[in-house]
Amino acid sequence: MNVLLINPASPNIARISTGFDLEISNSGRFPPIGLLFLAAYIRKHSKHNVKIIDMEVENFTNEGILHFIKEYNTDIIGITSFTYTFYDVLQLTCLVKEYFEHISIVLGGPNIQLFGKEVLSHSEIDYIVNGEGEESFLYLIDKIEKKEIVGKDKGIGFRNNGEIFIGNPTWIKNLDDLPFPAYDLINADNYYSTFGYGGKTITLCTSRGCPYLCTYCQVLSKKYRTHSISYIIDNIKLFYVKGYRNFYFFDDTFNINSKRVIDLSKAIKSEKLDIKWIFRGRVNSINEELCKEASMAGCVQILFGIEDYNNEGLKKIKKNITIEQATSAIKLAKKYNIKTSTNWIIGLPNHKKESDLDNLINVAIKMGSDYAMFSILQLLPGCEMFEDAANDGVINRDSWSEYIHNPTPSCQIEFYDKYINSKVLSRYHTKSYKMYYRRSGYILKNLLSLRSFSELKNKLPVAINVLLARKKSNHK
């Protein structure tokens, strides 16, 4: 079977927009890690052919994708689907089915576990994969090839005589059983991050799931699993011999276990891998030994999710951290020359007046991280805060289900505006970036800290967006 995996372009992504947007999404261009794992698993455990297309990165037009499908003699297409991107996903499936009705189209991704029935209400979509797809998708490919009946217990969703059946989500128990991501199927040089020092960067994901219960977060697997240190080191070596020296560990929470980070750092030093790396982590798992060992092993930046400006707000969202821990983590990182970036959410339930938003910005500045990212609260089913907001009548509980049934381009996501209206929230979104990045001392300090031309090249578009941020005139 010729299997084609597609990461679709998403020009019509659902978003929060009131005309005050700051186009700050340029934090980098990251590879479709899920598809890379999927492709590697198919190749290891079968004789099927598999290719990957990242439409936006490779600038594929509709004509281009249709030509590729025909030339490859495609049998099955797997498409990554997020809730925000479903309009573009559906447009792509409709286009393919118009010209290649015989090709089986399979959707996977986090959207499936939430809205499987709604997705399968569209006749252009033949199957869905519920949960982590490596084992389930290969099972489905084999069944399609042999023209056998698909079982109801393998995480597969399908229609049969007008009825929709969806298997329970499946999860990979031992991540080390997975082969290394099939980076050879994409051009790794097309991807980059504005974090770190720039240059060619490889993105790796070394764990899955999250055991925490943050009320604003949609985590579909609470079962936290990790790759072993030896697996990670061997994966790094594959790229090291090809000249790659920058790595971004894209795990949701890389340092849940601080010992794991310490052990990895020691292994990097032991193997004499001269690399630079960054990770996304939690402040409550940062300690001096971790920072010391990580710095000595080449860690140059840590990205922290702080989210709110005081302990009362953090407790309400069940973040399980404190402002004191955040301050301490940033100071420890600075002590060992590790840069930090912090994330903050505008419009949380603890923000009941504009002064709360001013306090959030001021605390973010006072915290002293090298970079900061601000976003307006967005809620999806599957998180506690969505249920609370729906129960309070602040948002429409069925809005996302209705969107999947009948997606529209550039759909406006509902604001959580129980206390502060959408225009004020949007104004503060832009204000937060202006206040944080337009400080004269900040600009000079960061210009002087640039280490390379590639770092300047990667960070310049974001810097221009911030410095020139202004109200848009075409608000939707």
Side-chain angles (χ1 to χ4, degrees), residues 328-377:
S328 174
I330 291 170
K331 286 182 178 178
L332 274 175
K334 285 182 181 294
K335 178 179 178 179
Y336 291 97
N337 297 313
I338 299 174
K339 289 191 174 184
T340 55
S341 177
T342 50
N343 288 1
W344 306 85
I345 299 177
I346 295 169
L348 289 166
N350 194 45
H351 305 161
K352 296 178 179 173
K353 49 189 182 297
E354 290 187 37
S355 60
D356 290 321
L357 304 182
D358 287 318
N359 287 336
L360 182 140
I361 297 171
N362 291 332
V363 169
I365 292 171
K366 184 180 178 181
M367 190 78 69
S369 59
D370 297 280
Y371 310 100
M373 298 185 70
F374 301 87
S375 59
I376 297 174
L377 177 65

Side-chain angles (χ1 to χ4, degrees), residues 251-393:
D251 310 40
D252 288 333
T253 44
F254 184 72
N255 69 323
I256 282 182
N257 183 342
S258 60
K259 183 179 183 299
R260 176 173 176 264
V261 182
I262 293 168
D263 289 344
L264 176 62
S265 301
K266 290 179 178 179
I268 291 172
K269 290 186 295 179
S270 175
E271 296 291 335
K272 296 181 171 54
L273 298 172
D274 183 17
I275 62 175
K276 305 296 182 186
W277 49 284
I278 64 180
F279 70 86
R280 301 195 293 178
R282 289 181 58 89
V283 298
N284 60 322
S285 297
I286 292 292
N287 56 50
E288 185 140 9
E289 184 182 7
L290 183 152
C291 290
K292 180 180 179 180
E293 293 292 343
S295 178
M296 292 171 62
C299 179
V300 295
Q301 189 170 341
I302 305 174
L303 288 68
F304 293 121
I306 312 296
E307 320 310 357
D308 210 350
Y309 73 92
N310 63 20
N311 290 335
E312 178 187 1
L314 292 171
K315 186 176 181 180
K316 281 185 177 180
I317 62 175
K318 299 182 181 178
K319 184 69 180 177
N320 200 29
I321 65 171
T322 66
I323 291 297
E324 292 75 22
Q325 288 173 330
T327 303
S328 174
I330 291 170
K331 286 182 178 178
L332 274 175
K334 285 182 181 294
K335 178 179 178 179
Y336 291 97
N337 297 313
I338 299 174
K339 289 191 174 184
T340 55
S341 177
T342 50
N343 288 1
W344 306 85
I345 299 177
I346 295 169
L348 289 166
N350 194 45
H351 305 161
K352 296 178 179 173
K353 49 189 182 297
E354 290 187 37
S355 60
D356 290 321
L357 304 182
D358 287 318
N359 287 336
L360 182 140
I361 297 171
N362 291 332
V363 169
I365 292 171
K366 184 180 178 181
M367 190 78 69
S369 59
D370 297 280
Y371 310 100
M373 298 185 70
F374 301 87
S375 59
I376 297 174
L377 177 65
Q378 301 179 30
L379 296 177
L380 282 172
C383 70
E384 180 181 330
M385 199 179 293
F386 178 92
E387 294 301 317
D388 291 342
N391 290 337
D392 290 344

Side-chain angles (χ1 to χ4, degrees), residues 26-28 189 191-201 245-246 276 371 449-462:
N26 257 359
S27 59
D189 292 348
Y191 303 91
Y192 66 92
S193 170
T194 58
F195 304 111
Y197 290 158
K200 296 192 296 183
T201 300
R245 296 295 183 267
N246 299 312
K276 305 296 182 186
Y371 310 100
S449 71
L450 292 173
R451 306 290 184 93
S452 66
F453 175 74
S454 59
E455 184 181 2
L456 172 64
K457 181 182 177 181
N458 284 349
K459 291 179 178 177
L460 189 60
V462 179

Side-chain angles (χ1 to χ4, degrees), residues 3-65:
V3 181
L4 178 60
L5 304 178
I6 301 177
N7 188 34
S10 52
N12 300 293
I13 189 171
R15 67 189 68 202
I16 278 185
S17 174
T18 61
F20 291 92
D21 282 350
L22 182 63
E23 299 296 342
I24 198 73
S25 57
N26 257 359
S27 59
R29 178 181 287 167
F30 304 103
I33 289 289
L35 295 185
L36 300 184
F37 271 111
L38 209 58
Y41 191 87
I42 293 169
R43 290 196 307 194
K44 179 179 179 180
H45 295 283
S46 75
K47 294 182 179 180
H48 303 303
N49 301 310
V50 59
K51 292 189 177 183
I52 295 176
I53 289 178
D54 193 337
M55 289 186 64
E56 192 159 347
V57 170
E58 299 175 50
N59 296 314
F60 262 88
T61 62
N62 287 344
E63 293 76 15
I65 196 72

